[in-house]
Amino acid sequence: MHKQAVTISRQFRKLQPLLWLLLALSTLARGADGNVPPSSFDPTAGQFDMSDMLLHHKGVLPVPDIVTEPAIGYGFGLALLYFTMPSQREQDSVDDGTQPNKVGPPNITGVGGLVTNTHSWAAGLMHFHTWDDDHVRYLGVLGKLDLHLNYYGPQGNANAYQLTGVGVIQQVLFRLGDSPWYIGPRYTFLDSTTRFGPLIPAGIQHFERDLKVGKGGIVIDYDTRDNIFYPSSGTYGELEAELARGALGSDRSFEMQTAKGYHWIPLSSRWVLGLRTDLGFSQGDIPFFAQPYVDLRGVSQAKFQDRNQLTGELELRYNVTPRWSVLGFGGVGRAYGNLHAFSDAPTAFGFGTGFRYLIARKLGISMGIDVAHGPGQNAFYIQVGSAWR
């Protein structure tokens, strides 16, 4: 699925009052008599924890969302996540009751949707699965969307348009021996319809109302994180090279390359520094909505979009207790190549603060809220683990 459609998964991370979130989790964990069963608490630490319920009692983690993204309006969303852990991996893990277990990723099945006051809506299914002691990783996504968005032309003015479509992602990665390197194919497809007003904005070339985008590519991952949700140490990097051709189901021929790297440095037992780099490049007859864009907390999705983009971000975390942590973050980025040269491109920025609670220690899942400020706006996000995906 193209870059714009991928933003739907990120909409499930926005603001929802913490009280509502905890109430939903507590209600889910309660028994028929209204009493909280022992599985809702960590037996080694005596604190609220959903690990046993999610892993052994077929529990579902709800992620509610009040959408506050200016790109698609204001509304409500909900995702339901179901977790399983391969039994051998769970038996091999060390459980001292204080920190997340350093184990491979769990299997995750999710369903979600959102609707906003601009009549935008989206729904999707996803599944992530590992085999052979995390030597094979599979990701599958199926989604349908109907979004009312803005395209920002050379002068930065907003031009309203509607994007509807059905998309799919299929990816399989294979570990190279016992190393932290993975490599494998990815295929994405979107059958889209785009509608503008009576005039097509400046900066859009070869506009087509109905367009199929089919891309195939190679993905290379490097992963030494201590867990995939909220790492305290390690590195995650991904290189991806994709091409769209008629043989892959695409009406346009173009190429895209992306690179992202996240590195977490434990400065002490309480302080963790995170570093992020995100790069995107494109060539050929790429549709305007599929171009790379700057993705930062506090920045409206796809507002800074062009042929290429460069983004950097820092995050500093303080672990107040083994369960609670607070953090501050800030980043900048530029999109350039068609509408602007790099030296003339406007600079996007976003900074803010947030907190997390370790809600499922055995899975390493933390949940919390980030509050961010960007160019002319503020934004709020519910986060499941790290904001970096």
Side-chain angles (χ1 to χ4, degrees):
M1 197 178 302
H2 61 78
K3 189 79 170 178
Q4 191 77 321
V6 171
T7 65
I8 297 307
S9 64
R10 296 175 180 143
Q11 300 307 323
F12 298 124
R13 308 191 318 238
K14 295 182 183 293
L15 175 66
Q16 174 66 4
L18 182 61
L19 179 61
W20 186 6
L21 176 62
L22 294 179
L23 176 62
L25 296 175
S26 299
T27 300
L28 185 66
R30 289 180 185 275
D33 58 358
N35 296 320
V36 179
S39 61
S40 296
F41 285 87
D42 190 334
T44 60
Q47 299 186 55
F48 180 74
D49 188 279
M50 297 187 68
S51 299
D52 288 337
M53 190 197 71
L54 293 176
L55 288 173
H56 305 301
H57 297 275
K58 301 186 184 302
V60 175
L61 181 66
V63 184
D65 177 23
I66 288 181
V67 182
T68 61
E69 171 55 58
I72 60 171
Y74 299 87
F76 175 76
L78 179 67
L80 302 175
L81 305 178
Y82 176 77
F83 298 85
T84 60
M85 183 75 79
S87 57
Q88 183 61 43
R89 225 184 291 158
E90 187 176 0
Q91 293 171 3
D92 292 343
S93 64
V94 177
D95 189 357
D96 62 6
T98 60
Q99 298 294 333
N101 286 359
K102 294 186 178 182
V103 297
N107 305 323
I108 308 170
T109 301
V111 58
L114 64 85
V115 61
T116 76
N117 66 331
T118 65
H119 304 291
S120 293
W121 64 271
L125 300 169
M126 66 81 63
H127 183 69
F128 175 81
H129 205 101
T130 68
W131 289 274
D132 192 19
D133 195 23
D134 196 26
H135 279 69
V136 180
R137 293 182 174 182
Y138 166 79
L139 174 66
V141 180
L142 174 64
K144 182 174 177 58
L145 54 89
D146 187 344
L147 304 179
H148 294 261
L149 302 161
N150 286 317
Y151 170 77
Y152 295 86
Q155 305 303 319
N157 53 311
N159 299 272
Y161 73 96
Q162 183 180 7
L163 175 66
T164 61
V166 177
V168 64
I169 300 173
Q170 294 291 303
Q171 174 180 294
V172 182
L173 300 182
F174 302 91
R175 179 181 282 185
L176 301 180
D178 291 324
S179 75
W181 291 95
Y182 295 79
I183 186 170
R186 174 186 291 172
Y187 177 74
T188 66
F189 177 81
L190 178 73
D191 187 354
S192 69
T193 298
T194 308
R195 299 179 181 90
F196 275 99
L199 298 177
I200 305 302
I204 295 182
Q205 301 174 353
H206 309 128
F207 174 77
E208 294 180 71
R209 183 175 180 271
D210 299 310
L211 193 64
K212 293 181 175 66
V213 178
K215 299 184 298 179
I218 296 295
V219 178
I220 301 174
D221 278 7
Y222 178 85
D223 192 357
T224 61
R225 295 170 293 179
D226 53 358
N227 75 77
I228 67 171
F229 297 105
Y230 196 47
S232 295
S233 65
T235 301
Y236 177 75
E238 182 174 271
L239 299 174
E240 180 182 354
E242 293 181 297
L243 57 85
R245 294 291 188 272
L248 298 171
S250 183
D251 294 334
R252 299 274 191 94
S253 294
F254 61 92
E255 299 80 40
M256 297 186 70
Q257 305 85 38
T258 61
K260 58 184 179 182
Y262 314 142
H263 184 55
W264 290 268
I265 306 171
L267 303 178
S268 69
S269 60
R270 291 183 179 268
W271 291 95
V272 178
L273 176 64
L275 310 173
R276 173 193 173 215
T277 299
D278 194 329
L279 315 175
F281 308 96
S282 65
Q283 306 86 35
D285 192 15
I286 186 171
F288 75 94
F289 55 74
Q291 296 180 117
Y293 66 86
V294 175
D295 180 25
L296 287 169
R297 284 166 284 185
V299 176
S300 181
Q301 297 287 330
K303 183 174 183 178
F304 298 86
Q305 184 176 29
D306 209 325
R307 283 279 181 168
N308 314 299
Q309 70 85 18
L310 305 176
T311 302
E313 191 175 14
L314 299 175
E315 183 176 279
L316 185 62
R317 180 196 317 168
Y318 179 71
N319 296 314
V320 181
T321 71
R323 290 275 176 176
W324 290 95
S325 61
V326 295
L327 55 91
F329 55 86
V332 296
R334 281 189 176 183
Y336 65 97
N338 178 31
L339 302 179
H340 303 279
F342 180 80
S343 58
D344 299 327
T347 298
F349 67 90
F351 60 89
T353 186
F355 70 89
R356 301 289 188 276
Y357 177 76
L358 184 61
I359 201 166
R361 178 179 55 81
K362 293 181 180 179
L363 291 168
I365 300 177
S366 294
M367 297 186 70
I369 292 175
D370 287 343
V371 181
H373 175 74
Q377 69 178 53
N378 298 312
F380 305 84
Y381 308 84
I382 276 185
Q383 302 286 14
V384 179
S386 174
W388 299 345
R389 300 290 189 267

